[in-house]
């Protein structure tokens, strides 16, 4: 959202800058001091710099430690505080004004096997692997009803825990996700359980 505001700011600042140029023209008719005011047009260029900063801010990464991870397991949402929570469609909730936001579904762009393992470890389960999200709904068309995409490009390269991973806001990388590209994970206490579930 900061990037959008900055873009709007560019228009305002550039308009001000063009007014400064008009002042500069007036200065050329006589008063050198007024003419120097025309340099205010350069300030409009600073507005462009602000736009660049806003755009780069929209592509910034955020720590997973700031997010409450949650799974949709086919019947409802569960978190690491629920001992029966062993996987599902992955989402995250952020704290807004003292309350958690609606779950934002994780897009599978950039999501790795290592990320799946670390997420499961954060739920107290040593093994984890990605599975098809259809495993947690009855029909593919029901996937859209689970929730909107909220995060993408989960990066766990070099991470020791899920909290060490980073994420980007969905849409900030310019790559859309479609139905069926939701991250879904199955966690377990033993590897053979995952092999059985993954073959379904």
């Amino acid at each position: 959202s900061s990037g959008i505001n900055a873009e709007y700011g560019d228009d305002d600042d550039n308009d001000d800058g063009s007014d400064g140029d008009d002042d500069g023209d007036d200065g050329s008719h006589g008063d050198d001091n007024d003419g120097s005011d025309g340099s205010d047009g350069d300030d409009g260029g600073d507005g462009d710099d602000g736009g660049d900063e806003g755009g780069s801010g929209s592509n910034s990464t955020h720590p997973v430690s700031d997010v409450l991870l949650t799974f949709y397991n086919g019947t409802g949402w569960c978190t690491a505080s629920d001992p029966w929570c062993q996987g599902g469609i992955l989402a995250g909730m952020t704290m807004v004004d003292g309350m958690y936001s609606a779950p934002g579904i994780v897009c599978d762009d950039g999501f790795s096997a290592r990320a799946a393992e670390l997420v499961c470890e954060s739920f107290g389960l040593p093994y984890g692997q990605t599975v098809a999200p259809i495993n947690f709904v009855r029909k593919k068309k029901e996937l859209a009803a689970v929730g909107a995409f909220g995060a993408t490009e989960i990066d766990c390269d070099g991470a020791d825990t899920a909290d060490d991973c980073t994420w980007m806001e969905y849409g900030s990388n310019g790559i859309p996700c479609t139905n069926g590209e939701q991250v879904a994970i199955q966690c377990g206490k033993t590897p053979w359980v995952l092999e059985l579930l993954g073959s379904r």
Side-chain angles (χ1 to χ4, degrees):
S1 58
S2 60
I4 294 174
N5 292 335
E7 290 173 6
Y8 286 156
D10 289 347
D11 295 339
D12 294 340
D13 290 344
N14 287 332
D15 290 343
D16 293 341
S18 61
D19 291 343
D21 291 337
D22 292 341
D23 291 340
D25 293 339
D26 292 341
S28 66
H29 292 297
D31 191 342
D32 292 337
N33 290 334
D34 290 342
S36 63
D37 290 344
S39 63
D40 290 345
D42 294 337
D43 293 340
D46 292 340
D48 290 335
D49 294 339
D52 292 338
E53 291 173 4
S56 62
S58 63
N59 293 329
S60 62
T61 59
H62 309 277
V64 170
S65 57
D66 290 346
V67 177
L68 177 64
L69 296 177
T70 181
F71 283 126
Y72 178 78
N73 62 6
T75 59
W77 295 96
C78 61
T79 67
S81 62
D82 301 308
W84 44 267
C85 193
Q86 298 188 0
I89 296 171
L90 181 64
M93 298 187 292
T94 55
M95 185 70 73
V96 179
D97 296 330
M99 299 181 64
Y100 280 111
S101 65
I105 305 299
V106 178
C107 170
D108 64 5
D109 287 346
F111 198 84
S112 64
R114 176 59 175 163
E117 292 174 354
L118 291 178
V119 168
C120 287
E121 286 178 7
S122 73
F123 278 72
L125 296 165
Y127 299 98
Q129 68 180 29
T130 56
V131 295
I134 192 67
N135 283 323
F136 300 100
V137 292
R138 291 172 296 179
K139 299 178 181 179
K140 185 176 180 179
K141 64 181 181 180
E142 295 178 3
L143 287 171
V146 175
F149 287 105
T152 188
E153 299 293 346
I154 305 296
D155 184 5
C156 294
D157 187 26
D160 294 322
T161 68
D163 283 348
D164 298 328
C165 303
T166 60
W167 61 281
M168 296 172 62
E169 291 184 15
Y170 175 69
S172 62
N173 63 347
I175 304 175
C177 272
T178 59
N179 211 24
E181 293 183 279
Q182 295 90 343
V183 168
I185 304 174
Q186 184 62 59
C187 305
K189 294 181 179 180
T190 54
W192 69 267
V193 173
L194 300 181
E195 294 176 3
L196 178 62
L197 291 170
S199 65
R200 291 194 308 182

